[in-house]
Amino acid sequence: MNRKEFVKNTGLAAATLAILPADKLFASAADTKIKIAMIGVGLRGQNHLDLVLRRNDVELVAICDIDDRMLTRSKEMVVKSGKKMPQIFTGDLYAWKKMLEMKGGIDGIIIATPWEWHKEMIIGSIEAGIKYIGSEVMIGITLQDHWDVVKAAEKYKAHVMMLENVCYRRDVMAILNMVRQGLFGEMIHLQGGYQHDLRDVKFNNGTKAYGGGCEIGDKAWSEASWRTHHSIHRNGDLYPTHGIGPIAHCININRGNRFVNISSFSTKARGLHEHVIKNCGPDHPNAKIKFKLGDVVTTSIGCANGETILLQHDTNLPRPYSLGFRVQGTEGIWMDLNRGIYIEGKSPKPHQWDEAKIWLDKYDHPLWAKWSKEAQGSGHGGMDFYVIHSFVESIKRNAPTPMDVYDAAAWSAITPLSEMSIEKGNETIEFPDFTGGQWMYRKPVFALNDEY
């Protein structure tokens, strides 16, 4: 199967699956128990571990991590669940490679490690013969990393799904439902981003996961041990997928539409330095660090069908959490920050916002209507359930994942492309087409029914 056939057939298979009745969907998968392995069981990995352990259709066969504290927590979770203890792989940075060689087979693998390891672990899993890889964001660091992952997936006919949970946020899915039903008219402009004060994520005291000190790297623990280095050495939109994923579904990116160009701007960097000074004083060694990441990075993307997208990355300054969504069409607009929706001719008062909840409740997505009880208690308000549910159900059906390697590459590649644009004086850069032209023929497949 050549590259063109792989891209086309993946889309056709997913589209066909999406329209099959539920009894046909489950006919071959009802009694299937799939074997899942995990690389990385830190705090994020433990969210996924919890969901895997809840499921009776999954056998957890192996976990790998180099942090004894995280492994101890994870083993306690397994014991509490009453499930069989999986094989444990640890001891060195490449223990995961030994896990990939284990006997008995692995149907799917979940990767929740620092970003710089994702490309190597995804491709290593693919080359080991694993057909389903669920990776936390991002899937690579450089633009070439993204091409390497795409080419490996095509060569080995593997399914790579980036576990972007915000695509399953309840309000986001209701808005997608409204978009598909034409409430907003033709799409014109969309916004999103990652606007989240991460100062206590990027620094801690070495014993707490969040805050309490100004340590990074070897002296820190959890994300501060690796994530902060990206803020020191890189300047771009380092975390675009929470914003771009949901709005990409609204305008059918890679399925009748695509990103065509991108440009990015960055402010000066002040927030992280001020945080160290304020909390640990000017004599702390990390007060001397020159952080490269601008406090606010703004990215504009143009699309083949004429829409524009605005993304913002804002993690170094004091601010409440917001992803800053805006979905605007010829007939109406949604903005999550003011919890408002306005639909021309349907909203009761011209030029005045409706309370979004009225519309969101009315157009609740069928996935949430069906699975909300199962999602209770899972991470991030329930949306973690849906992303793992989607991954597992795809494996059970031997079907393409609803968010595939082309989605992962397009969303994740915004980071290196934004870095390039800023480095070149905010130059507009051509956005690569990871589908090789097949975006014109592929059909939307994400969340077309209430199954997954």
Side-chain angles (χ1 to χ4, degrees):
M1 186 184 294
N2 61 32
R3 183 174 194 270
K4 183 176 180 179
E5 289 171 334
F6 174 85
V7 181
K8 184 177 181 181
N9 290 347
T10 299
L12 287 174
T16 301
L17 183 78
I19 60 175
L20 285 173
D23 59 337
K24 299 296 184 184
L25 281 170
F26 284 93
S28 62
D31 300 320
T32 303
K33 197 162 191 175
I34 62 169
K35 297 179 180 180
I36 292 286
M38 299 184 65
I39 308 177
V41 286
L43 298 183
R44 182 61 185 140
Q46 287 167 34
N47 290 146
H48 297 318
L49 175 62
D50 172 60
L51 290 165
V52 167
L53 292 172
R54 290 186 189 193
R55 300 185 68 107
N56 293 324
D57 53 0
V58 171
E59 179 187 358
L60 180 67
V61 295
I63 59 175
C64 178
D65 204 295
I66 58 171
D67 188 319
D68 289 338
R69 292 167 69 183
M70 295 302 189
L71 279 174
T72 297
R73 289 186 179 196
S74 298
K75 287 188 281 189
E76 289 172 351
M77 290 172 66
V78 175
V79 171
K80 187 175 180 179
S81 74
K83 299 290 181 69
K84 178 183 175 183
M85 185 64 64
Q87 291 191 52
I88 307 297
F89 292 83
T90 187
D92 65 76
L93 290 173
Y94 289 93
W96 58 274
K97 290 191 174 184
K98 298 173 185 175
M99 186 181 79
L100 298 180
E101 299 170 358
M102 65 181 289
K103 296 180 180 179
I106 297 171
D107 297 314
I109 196 156
I110 294 173
I111 298 169
T113 57
W115 302 333
E116 53 266 29
W117 285 95
H118 289 182
K119 174 228 176 170
E120 185 176 357
M121 290 173 172
I122 292 169
I123 294 178
S125 299
I126 291 173
E127 292 178 343
I130 299 171
K131 294 300 183 184
Y132 287 87
I133 296 91
S135 173
E136 266 300 328
V137 300
M138 316 288 290
I139 67 163
I141 301 298
T142 67
L143 185 60
Q144 187 60 48
D145 286 346
H146 293 75
W147 279 112
D148 291 346
V149 169
V150 168
K151 290 174 182 176
E154 292 175 341
K155 179 180 178 180
Y156 291 91
K157 304 180 183 65
H159 303 282
V160 177
M161 176 177 170
M162 190 161 61
L163 303 175
E164 180 41 73
N165 59 351
V166 179
C167 291
Y168 292 94
R169 205 172 88 174
R170 193 165 196 164
D171 60 342
V172 163
M173 296 201 77
I175 294 299
L176 177 62
N177 195 20
M178 292 178 68
V179 168
R180 287 174 170 172
Q181 294 192 41
L183 272 296
F184 295 103
E186 183 180 357
M187 289 290 95
I188 301 294
H189 177 74
L190 304 97
Q191 294 180 192
Y194 191 57
Q195 302 175 129
H196 187 187
D197 182 356
L198 295 183
R199 292 173 298 171
D200 280 341
V201 173
K202 296 182 181 185
F203 298 98
N204 61 38
N205 60 6
T207 57
K208 294 171 57 178
Y210 305 116
C214 302
E215 303 303 335
I216 63 173
D218 292 340
K219 293 183 178 180
W221 186 56
S222 192
E223 288 181 74
S225 68
W226 61 270
R227 188 167 184 165
T228 318
H229 288 294
H230 292 272
S231 299
I232 297 172
H233 300 292
R234 307 174 71 188
N235 191 15
D237 188 331
L238 300 187
Y239 207 69
T241 66
H242 282 350
I244 198 64
I247 60 181
H249 291 308
C250 288
I251 53 175
N252 299 325
I253 294 300
N254 292 332
R255 295 171 177 81
N257 198 2
R258 80 173 186 94
F259 305 138
V260 294
N261 52 46
I262 181 172
S263 63
S264 295
F265 290 77
S266 174
T267 69
K268 55 193 172 184
R270 294 291 185 271
L272 298 183
H273 174 75
E274 292 298 322
H275 180 78
V276 174
I277 297 295
K278 184 185 297 183
N279 288 276
C280 300
D283 295 328
H284 192 281
N286 290 336
K288 299 179 177 63
I289 294 175
K290 292 185 178 181
F291 295 93
K292 189 173 183 181
L293 176 64
D295 290 338
V296 179
V297 176
T298 302
T299 297
S300 295
I301 300 174
C303 301
N305 290 346
E307 306 90 347
T308 56
I309 297 170
L310 180 70
L311 299 176
Q312 288 195 306
H313 181 269
D314 174 359
T315 63
N316 298 342
L317 299 169
R319 61 160 300 127
Y321 176 88
S322 169
L323 297 185
F325 284 121
R326 172 174 165 181
V327 173
Q328 188 168 14
T330 56
E331 299 295 327
I333 182 172
W334 166 60
M335 294 183 70
D336 75 331
L337 192 57
N338 70 341
R339 298 182 178 89
I341 289 178
Y342 178 76
I343 306 296
E344 190 169 57
K346 294 183 173 63
S347 291
K349 296 181 181 180
H351 307 292
Q352 292 188 32
W353 292 102
D354 300 338
E355 174 59 45
K357 188 177 185 302
I358 299 169
W359 291 94
L360 299 177
D361 288 348
K362 182 177 180 180
Y363 290 93
D364 194 25
H365 194 281
L367 267 171
W368 272 92
K370 179 175 180 177
W371 298 98
S372 58
K373 288 184 179 179
E374 287 80 358
Q376 288 179 1
S378 63
H380 296 91
M383 54 192 182
D384 283 356
F385 163 82
Y386 290 94
V387 74
I388 293 299
H389 177 68
S390 175
F391 182 63
V392 169
E393 293 298 333
S394 298
I395 301 173
K396 287 166 61 177
R397 292 164 171 77
N398 192 28
T401 53
M403 299 186 291
D404 63 17
V405 69
Y406 305 108
D407 300 316
W411 304 350
S412 178
I414 290 169
T415 297
L417 290 168
S418 68
E419 292 178 273
M420 292 179 201
S421 175
I422 291 168
E423 185 69 25
K424 294 182 178 182
N426 319 115
E427 183 177 314
T428 298
I429 295 174
E430 181 180 354
F431 207 108
D433 173 18
F434 293 102
T435 74
Q438 293 303 302
W439 63 272
M440 292 181 284
Y441 312 107
R442 286 158 43 94
K443 303 298 182 184
V445 298
F446 176 78
L448 295 183
N449 56 39
D450 66 359
E451 296 302 328
Y452 66 98

Short mmCIF file of all heavy atoms in Angstrom, two decimals, residues 357-395:
data_model
loop_
_atom_site.label_atom_id
_atom_site.label_comp_id
_atom_site.label_asym_id
_atom_site.label_seq_id
_atom_site.Cartn_x
_atom_site.Cartn_y
_atom_site.Cartn_z
N LYS A 357 -25.20 28.50 28.33
CA LYS A 357 -25.71 27.23 28.87
C LYS A 357 -27.04 26.83 28.24
O LYS A 357 -27.31 25.63 28.06
CB LYS A 357 -25.85 27.32 30.39
CG LYS A 357 -26.19 26.00 31.07
CD LYS A 357 -26.24 26.16 32.58
CE LYS A 357 -26.45 24.82 33.27
NZ LYS A 357 -27.68 24.14 32.83
N ILE A 358 -27.87 27.80 27.90
CA ILE A 358 -29.16 27.49 27.30
C ILE A 358 -28.97 26.73 25.99
O ILE A 358 -29.62 25.70 25.74
CB ILE A 358 -29.95 28.80 27.04
CG1 ILE A 358 -30.21 29.53 28.35
CG2 ILE A 358 -31.25 28.51 26.30
CD1 ILE A 358 -30.74 30.94 28.17
N TRP A 359 -28.04 27.21 25.18
CA TRP A 359 -27.76 26.56 23.90
C TRP A 359 -26.97 25.26 24.09
O TRP A 359 -27.24 24.26 23.40
CB TRP A 359 -26.96 27.51 23.01
CG TRP A 359 -27.74 28.70 22.54
CD1 TRP A 359 -27.80 29.94 23.12
CD2 TRP A 359 -28.58 28.75 21.39
NE1 TRP A 359 -28.61 30.77 22.40
CE2 TRP A 359 -29.11 30.08 21.32
CE3 TRP A 359 -28.94 27.84 20.40
CZ2 TRP A 359 -29.97 30.50 20.30
CZ3 TRP A 359 -29.79 28.24 19.38
CH2 TRP A 359 -30.31 29.55 19.35
N LEU A 360 -26.01 25.27 25.00
CA LEU A 360 -25.17 24.09 25.21
C LEU A 360 -25.99 22.91 25.71
O LEU A 360 -25.76 21.76 25.32
CB LEU A 360 -24.04 24.41 26.19
CG LEU A 360 -23.06 25.51 25.75
CD1 LEU A 360 -22.05 25.78 26.85
CD2 LEU A 360 -22.38 25.15 24.45
N ASP A 361 -26.95 23.17 26.59
CA ASP A 361 -27.82 22.10 27.08
C ASP A 361 -28.70 21.55 25.95
O ASP A 361 -28.90 20.34 25.83
CB ASP A 361 -28.71 22.61 28.22
CG ASP A 361 -27.93 22.85 29.50
OD1 ASP A 361 -26.77 22.41 29.59
OD2 ASP A 361 -28.48 23.49 30.42
N LYS A 362 -29.21 22.44 25.13
CA LYS A 362 -30.09 22.03 24.04
C LYS A 362 -29.35 21.19 23.00
O LYS A 362 -29.92 20.24 22.44
CB LYS A 362 -30.70 23.27 23.37
CG LYS A 362 -31.68 22.95 22.25
CD LYS A 362 -32.29 24.22 21.68
CE LYS A 362 -33.27 23.89 20.55
NZ LYS A 362 -33.88 25.12 19.98
N TYR A 363 -28.09 21.53 22.75
CA TYR A 363 -27.32 20.84 21.71
C TYR A 363 -26.21 19.97 22.30
O TYR A 363 -25.19 19.73 21.67
CB TYR A 363 -26.74 21.86 20.73
CG TYR A 363 -27.82 22.49 19.87
CD1 TYR A 363 -28.43 23.68 20.24
CD2 TYR A 363 -28.26 21.86 18.71
CE1 TYR A 363 -29.43 24.25 19.47
CE2 TYR A 363 -29.26 22.41 17.93
CZ TYR A 363 -29.85 23.61 18.31
OH TYR A 363 -30.84 24.15 17.54
N ASP A 364 -26.43 19.49 23.51
CA ASP A 364 -25.48 18.56 24.14
C ASP A 364 -25.14 17.45 23.16
O ASP A 364 -26.03 16.84 22.55
CB ASP A 364 -26.10 17.99 25.41
CG ASP A 364 -25.08 17.30 26.30
OD1 ASP A 364 -23.88 17.65 26.23
OD2 ASP A 364 -25.49 16.43 27.10
N HIS A 365 -23.86 17.17 23.02
CA HIS A 365 -23.45 16.15 22.03
C HIS A 365 -23.92 14.77 22.46
O HIS A 365 -23.90 14.44 23.65
CB HIS A 365 -21.93 16.16 21.86
CG HIS A 365 -21.47 15.40 20.66
ND1 HIS A 365 -21.37 14.03 20.64
CD2 HIS A 365 -21.10 15.83 19.41
CE1 HIS A 365 -20.94 13.65 19.45
NE2 HIS A 365 -20.79 14.71 18.68
N PRO A 366 -24.32 13.92 21.51
CA PRO A 366 -24.79 12.57 21.85
C PRO A 366 -23.79 11.75 22.66
O PRO A 366 -24.19 10.91 23.47
CB PRO A 366 -25.04 11.93 20.49
CG PRO A 366 -25.38 13.08 19.59
CD PRO A 366 -24.54 14.22 20.07
N LEU A 367 -22.49 11.98 22.47
CA LEU A 367 -21.49 11.25 23.25
C LEU A 367 -21.64 11.54 24.74
O LEU A 367 -21.55 10.64 25.58
CB LEU A 367 -20.08 11.62 22.79
CG LEU A 367 -19.44 10.74 21.73
CD1 LEU A 367 -18.15 11.38 21.24
CD2 LEU A 367 -19.17 9.35 22.26
N TRP A 368 -21.85 12.82 25.06
CA TRP A 368 -22.01 13.18 26.47
C TRP A 368 -23.36 12.72 27.01
O TRP A 368 -23.46 12.30 28.17
CB TRP A 368 -21.85 14.69 26.64
CG TRP A 368 -20.42 15.07 26.85
CD1 TRP A 368 -19.52 15.42 25.90
CD2 TRP A 368 -19.72 15.11 28.10
NE1 TRP A 368 -18.29 15.68 26.47
CE2 TRP A 368 -18.39 15.50 27.82
CE3 TRP A 368 -20.09 14.86 29.41
CZ2 TRP A 368 -17.43 15.65 28.82
CZ3 TRP A 368 -19.13 15.00 30.42
CH2 TRP A 368 -17.82 15.39 30.11
N ALA A 369 -24.37 12.78 26.17
CA ALA A 369 -25.69 12.32 26.60
C ALA A 369 -25.66 10.84 26.96
O ALA A 369 -26.33 10.39 27.90
CB ALA A 369 -26.71 12.58 25.50
N LYS A 370 -24.85 10.06 26.24
CA LYS A 370 -24.81 8.62 26.45
C LYS A 370 -23.86 8.20 27.56
O LYS A 370 -24.16 7.29 28.34
CB LYS A 370 -24.43 7.91 25.15
CG LYS A 370 -24.36 6.39 25.28
CD LYS A 370 -24.09 5.74 23.93
CE LYS A 370 -24.01 4.22 24.06
NZ LYS A 370 -23.81 3.56 22.75
N TRP A 371 -22.68 8.83 27.62
CA TRP A 371 -21.60 8.31 28.46
C TRP A 371 -21.29 9.16 29.68
O TRP A 371 -20.30 8.91 30.36
CB TRP A 371 -20.33 8.17 27.63
CG TRP A 371 -20.42 7.21 26.49
CD1 TRP A 371 -20.65 7.51 25.18
CD2 TRP A 371 -20.30 5.78 26.55
NE1 TRP A 371 -20.67 6.37 24.42
CE2 TRP A 371 -20.46 5.29 25.24
CE3 TRP A 371 -20.07 4.88 27.60
CZ2 TRP A 371 -20.40 3.93 24.94
CZ3 TRP A 371 -20.01 3.53 27.30
CH2 TRP A 371 -20.17 3.07 25.98
N SER A 372 -22.10 10.16 30.00
CA SER A 372 -21.74 11.08 31.08
C SER A 372 -21.62 10.38 32.43
O SER A 372 -20.78 10.77 33.27
CB SER A 372 -22.76 12.22 31.16
OG SER A 372 -24.06 11.72 31.37
N LYS A 373 -22.41 9.35 32.68
CA LYS A 373 -22.30 8.64 33.96
C LYS A 373 -20.96 7.92 34.06
O LYS A 373 -20.32 7.92 35.11
CB LYS A 373 -23.45 7.65 34.12
CG LYS A 373 -24.81 8.31 34.38
CD LYS A 373 -25.89 7.27 34.62
CE LYS A 373 -27.22 7.94 34.91
NZ LYS A 373 -28.31 6.94 35.14
N GLU A 374 -20.55 7.28 32.96
CA GLU A 374 -19.26 6.58 32.96
C GLU A 374 -18.09 7.55 33.11
O GLU A 374 -17.03 7.20 33.62
CB GLU A 374 -19.10 5.77 31.67
CG GLU A 374 -19.97 4.53 31.58
CD GLU A 374 -21.40 4.84 31.17
OE1 GLU A 374 -21.75 6.04 30.98
OE2 GLU A 374 -22.18 3.89 31.03
N ALA A 375 -18.29 8.78 32.64
CA ALA A 375 -17.22 9.77 32.69
C ALA A 375 -17.05 10.42 34.06
O ALA A 375 -16.04 11.07 34.32
CB ALA A 375 -17.48 10.86 31.64
N GLN A 376 -18.04 10.25 34.93
CA GLN A 376 -17.98 10.89 36.24
C GLN A 376 -16.75 10.43 37.03
O GLN A 376 -16.45 9.24 37.08
CB GLN A 376 -19.24 10.57 37.04
CG GLN A 376 -20.48 11.30 36.55
CD GLN A 376 -21.72 10.94 37.35
OE1 GLN A 376 -21.67 10.17 38.30
NE2 GLN A 376 -22.85 11.51 36.98
N GLY A 377 -16.06 11.40 37.60
CA GLY A 377 -14.89 11.07 38.41
C GLY A 377 -13.60 10.96 37.63
O GLY A 377 -12.53 10.85 38.23
N SER A 378 -13.67 10.97 36.31
CA SER A 378 -12.44 10.93 35.52
C SER A 378 -11.86 12.34 35.41
O SER A 378 -12.53 13.33 35.69
CB SER A 378 -12.70 10.34 34.14
OG SER A 378 -13.58 11.14 33.39
N GLY A 379 -10.61 12.43 34.99
CA GLY A 379 -9.89 13.69 35.03
C GLY A 379 -10.44 14.76 34.11
O GLY A 379 -11.13 14.49 33.13
N HIS A 380 -10.13 16.01 34.47
CA HIS A 380 -10.47 17.18 33.67
C HIS A 380 -11.96 17.24 33.34
O HIS A 380 -12.37 17.43 32.18
CB HIS A 380 -9.64 17.22 32.38
CG HIS A 380 -8.17 17.39 32.64
ND1 HIS A 380 -7.31 16.31 32.79
CD2 HIS A 380 -7.41 18.50 32.81
CE1 HIS A 380 -6.09 16.76 33.02
NE2 HIS A 380 -6.13 18.08 33.05
N GLY A 381 -12.77 17.09 34.36
CA GLY A 381 -14.21 17.24 34.19
C GLY A 381 -14.87 16.18 33.36
O GLY A 381 -15.97 16.39 32.84
N GLY A 382 -14.22 15.03 33.23
CA GLY A 382 -14.81 13.92 32.49
C GLY A 382 -14.25 13.73 31.11
O GLY A 382 -14.39 12.64 30.52
N MET A 383 -13.58 14.73 30.56
CA MET A 383 -13.14 14.57 29.18
C MET A 383 -12.02 13.55 29.02
O MET A 383 -11.85 12.98 27.94
CB MET A 383 -12.75 15.92 28.57
CG MET A 383 -11.75 16.74 29.31
SD MET A 383 -11.71 18.43 28.60
CE MET A 383 -10.44 19.18 29.59
N ASP A 384 -11.26 13.27 30.08
CA ASP A 384 -10.23 12.23 29.99
C ASP A 384 -10.86 10.87 29.67
O ASP A 384 -10.26 10.06 28.96
CB ASP A 384 -9.45 12.14 31.30
CG ASP A 384 -8.43 13.25 31.46
OD1 ASP A 384 -8.28 14.05 30.51
OD2 ASP A 384 -7.79 13.33 32.52
N PHE A 385 -12.04 10.63 30.22
CA PHE A 385 -12.72 9.36 29.93
C PHE A 385 -12.91 9.18 28.43
O PHE A 385 -12.65 8.11 27.87
CB PHE A 385 -14.09 9.29 30.62
CG PHE A 385 -14.99 8.23 30.06
CD1 PHE A 385 -14.87 6.90 30.47
CD2 PHE A 385 -15.94 8.53 29.07
CE1 PHE A 385 -15.68 5.92 29.92
CE2 PHE A 385 -16.76 7.55 28.53
CZ PHE A 385 -16.63 6.24 28.96
N TYR A 386 -13.36 10.22 27.77
CA TYR A 386 -13.72 10.10 26.36
C TYR A 386 -12.52 9.85 25.47
O TYR A 386 -12.61 9.10 24.50
CB TYR A 386 -14.47 11.36 25.90
CG TYR A 386 -15.85 11.46 26.50
CD1 TYR A 386 -16.06 12.18 27.67
CD2 TYR A 386 -16.93 10.81 25.92
CE1 TYR A 386 -17.32 12.26 28.24
CE2 TYR A 386 -18.20 10.89 26.49
CZ TYR A 386 -18.39 11.61 27.65
OH TYR A 386 -19.64 11.68 28.22
N VAL A 387 -11.39 10.48 25.79
CA VAL A 387 -10.24 10.29 24.92
C VAL A 387 -9.68 8.87 25.04
O VAL A 387 -9.29 8.24 24.05
CB VAL A 387 -9.16 11.37 25.19
CG1 VAL A 387 -8.41 11.14 26.47
CG2 VAL A 387 -8.20 11.49 24.02
N ILE A 388 -9.67 8.30 26.26
CA ILE A 388 -9.23 6.92 26.43
C ILE A 388 -10.27 5.95 25.88
O ILE A 388 -9.94 4.93 25.26
CB ILE A 388 -8.92 6.63 27.91
CG1 ILE A 388 -7.70 7.44 28.38
CG2 ILE A 388 -8.68 5.13 28.13
CD1 ILE A 388 -6.42 7.13 27.63
N HIS A 389 -11.54 6.26 26.10
CA HIS A 389 -12.62 5.43 25.55
C HIS A 389 -12.49 5.33 24.03
O HIS A 389 -12.60 4.25 23.44
CB HIS A 389 -13.97 6.04 25.93
CG HIS A 389 -15.16 5.33 25.37
ND1 HIS A 389 -15.52 4.06 25.78
CD2 HIS A 389 -16.06 5.71 24.43
CE1 HIS A 389 -16.61 3.69 25.12
NE2 HIS A 389 -16.94 4.67 24.29
N SER A 390 -12.23 6.45 23.38
CA SER A 390 -12.08 6.48 21.93
C SER A 390 -10.90 5.62 21.47
O SER A 390 -11.01 4.87 20.51
CB SER A 390 -11.90 7.92 21.47
OG SER A 390 -11.64 7.99 20.10
N PHE A 391 -9.79 5.74 22.19
CA PHE A 391 -8.59 4.97 21.84
C PHE A 391 -8.85 3.47 22.00
O PHE A 391 -8.56 2.69 21.10
CB PHE A 391 -7.43 5.42 22.74
CG PHE A 391 -6.12 4.75 22.46
CD1 PHE A 391 -5.49 4.89 21.25
CD2 PHE A 391 -5.51 3.96 23.44
CE1 PHE A 391 -4.27 4.28 20.99
CE2 PHE A 391 -4.30 3.34 23.21
CZ PHE A 391 -3.68 3.50 21.97
N VAL A 392 -9.43 3.08 23.11
CA VAL A 392 -9.69 1.66 23.38
C VAL A 392 -10.69 1.09 22.38
O VAL A 392 -10.49 0.00 21.84
CB VAL A 392 -10.18 1.47 24.83
CG1 VAL A 392 -10.70 0.04 25.03
CG2 VAL A 392 -9.06 1.77 25.81
N GLU A 393 -11.77 1.81 22.13
CA GLU A 393 -12.79 1.29 21.23
C GLU A 393 -12.26 1.16 19.81
O GLU A 393 -12.65 0.25 19.06
CB GLU A 393 -14.03 2.19 21.26
CG GLU A 393 -14.77 2.19 22.58
CD GLU A 393 -15.33 0.81 22.93
OE1 GLU A 393 -15.60 0.02 22.02
OE2 GLU A 393 -15.49 0.52 24.14
N SER A 394 -11.36 2.03 19.39
CA SER A 394 -10.75 1.91 18.07
C SER A 394 -9.95 0.62 17.96
O SER A 394 -10.00 -0.08 16.94
CB SER A 394 -9.84 3.11 17.79
OG SER A 394 -10.57 4.31 17.78
N ILE A 395 -9.22 0.31 19.03
CA ILE A 395 -8.43 -0.93 19.03
C ILE A 395 -9.35 -2.14 18.97
O ILE A 395 -9.12 -3.09 18.20
CB ILE A 395 -7.53 -1.01 20.27
CG1 ILE A 395 -6.58 0.19 20.33
CG2 ILE A 395 -6.72 -2.31 20.27
CD1 ILE A 395 -5.77 0.28 21.62
#
